[in-house]
Amino acid sequence: MTPPRTSPSAPPSAPPSAPPSAPARPSFETVYAVGLPFLHHALRWLGVSVNDLDDMLQEVFLAAYRGLASYEPWRFHAAPAGGLAAAGPPPLRITPEAALHRWLFGIAWRKTSHYHARAHRRREIPSGAGVSWPFDGRAPAPTPEQSLAGADRAEIVTALLLKIAPERRVILVMYDLLGVAVADIAGELSLNENTVRSRLRLAREDFRAAVARQSAERRSALCALIASERPLHTSAATMLHAVRAFPPVPAPAARALRRRLQQRIDERAAIARAAPPAPW
C-alpha cells in the first residue's frame, strides 16, 4: 500500500532583516545632533534631577553609541498596501527624526529605571522641575510671560508632567508626545494593553488637574502658551503638542557635553584594546 503523501515541512522562519534599499543607519554625529535637544527634555520628563542631567545624557548616548549597529530604522516602515511585496521598502510611517527619538527614548527609559532604583537605595528623591540646563549661572527667576520664551516654554510643561505618577507619566509621554501606539507601548513596557489605556486616561486627568492647580498668574502664562481662549482643562492636549518642537541646547553646552562624551568613548576603547584576548 502506498503511504499517503505528506507536504514538506515549512522551513523555519528567518529573523527579520533589513528590507531592500533600507535607509542607512545614521552616524553617531547625527544621533547626537538630533537626539540632544530631545533627550534634554525627555530625561526631565522621566524624572531625572537637573543635577544629574549631564551624567544621564552621557549614559544614554554611550548606550546609543554601543547599540547603534542594532538600530533598525526600517522597523518604522508602513506595511505594503494589500500585503503585497514591494519592490523596495514602503514609506516610513514616521519621520526619521521621530523614529530616532523613539529609539533613544527606549534607552532613556531603561537608564532612568536604574537611576531611580539607585536614588531609592540612597533614600534620595530626584528633584522636580528646575532650570533647563545644569551649567553655570542662574538668572533671576523670570516672570510667567518671560518664561514662555525658548527652552523655558517646554520647562513649564515639564513641571506639570512631573506632578504625574511615573508609571502614568511615561505612557502619556510615549502616546501624546512621541505618538507611539498603545500596542507598541504595551510591548515596550511589558504591560497589558488595557492597563496602558487606563493609565493613559488617568495621566491625562492628572495633567489637567495639575494645570487647574496653577496660580492665577501662571494660568495666564499657560493660556498664552497655548494661544487659546478655551478653558485650560480642555486645552491640555494643545499644551502637550506645543512642546513637541524641542528648542536647541545652547551651543557651548552641547560642545562641552560632546567633548566629555568623546573622552569616555576613548577611555572605554583603550580599556577594550588593553584587555587580554579571550581564551579559546
Side-chain angles (χ1 to χ4, degrees):
M1 181 177 178
T2 305
R5 298 180 62 184
T6 58
S7 59
S9 58
S13 58
S17 58
S21 305
R25 291 187 180 93
S27 67
F28 182 68
E29 289 305 321
T30 298
V31 171
Y32 183 78
V34 172
L36 181 58
F38 166 70
L39 286 173
H40 173 226
H41 293 288
L43 287 170
R44 296 286 292 114
W45 297 337
L46 291 169
V48 172
S49 162
V50 290
N51 294 326
D52 297 330
L53 184 55
D54 184 276
D55 289 342
M56 288 300 297
L57 281 166
Q58 292 186 55
E59 290 298 321
V60 174
F61 277 120
L62 281 172
Y65 180 83
R66 294 193 300 268
L68 186 56
S70 64
Y71 173 51
E72 299 175 341
W74 47 84
R75 290 176 53 203
F76 300 99
H77 282 301
L84 300 177
L92 285 169
R93 299 196 307 269
I94 56 179
T95 65
E97 291 80 7
L100 191 56
H101 287 168
R102 290 190 189 182
W103 180 65
L104 289 171
F105 186 83
I107 298 173
W109 179 76
R110 288 186 287 274
K111 289 292 182 182
T112 53
S113 297
H114 297 306
Y115 163 82
H116 289 301
R118 292 194 302 270
H120 178 74
R121 287 196 296 271
R122 295 193 305 263
R123 297 187 178 182
E124 297 175 357
I125 301 175
S127 66
V131 294
S132 295
W133 194 252
F135 288 100
D136 8 49
R138 294 190 180 185
T143 66
E145 288 73 23
Q146 291 172 331
S147 69
L148 297 175
D152 288 335
R153 178 177 294 183
E155 195 67 23
I156 292 176
V157 176
T158 297
L160 295 170
L161 287 171
L162 290 174
K163 299 180 184 297
I164 303 173
E167 67 275 9
R168 298 178 184 176
R169 186 196 319 143
V170 65
I171 293 173
L172 181 68
V173 169
M174 293 179 75
Y175 189 87
D176 281 332
L177 293 180
L178 300 183
V180 183
V182 166
D184 293 337
I185 296 174
E188 178 69 23
L189 304 184
S190 301
L191 294 172
N192 180 281
E193 288 188 28
N194 289 334
T195 301
V196 171
R197 292 189 182 93
S198 175
R199 291 185 182 180
L200 175 61
R201 176 180 57 81
L202 293 171
R204 286 171 167 173
E205 292 176 1
D206 291 343
F207 187 79
R208 288 192 292 267
V211 172
R213 288 194 297 267
Q214 300 301 297
S215 67
E217 187 180 34
R218 193 66 149 183
R219 286 161 64 95
S220 174
L222 289 170
C223 280
L225 169 65
I226 59 179
S228 171
E229 297 299 324
R230 293 174 293 171
L232 284 173
H233 72 274
T234 65
S235 301
T238 307
M239 293 170 57
L240 290 173
H241 188 271
V243 297
R244 289 182 179 178
F246 307 105
V249 171
R255 288 194 297 267
L257 177 65
R258 184 66 181 89
R259 286 194 298 269
R260 291 191 292 275
L261 182 60
Q262 189 61 51
Q263 183 179 3
R264 294 186 62 181
I265 290 173
D266 294 342
E267 288 172 353
R268 295 194 176 199
I271 292 172
R273 288 194 298 268
W280 288 85

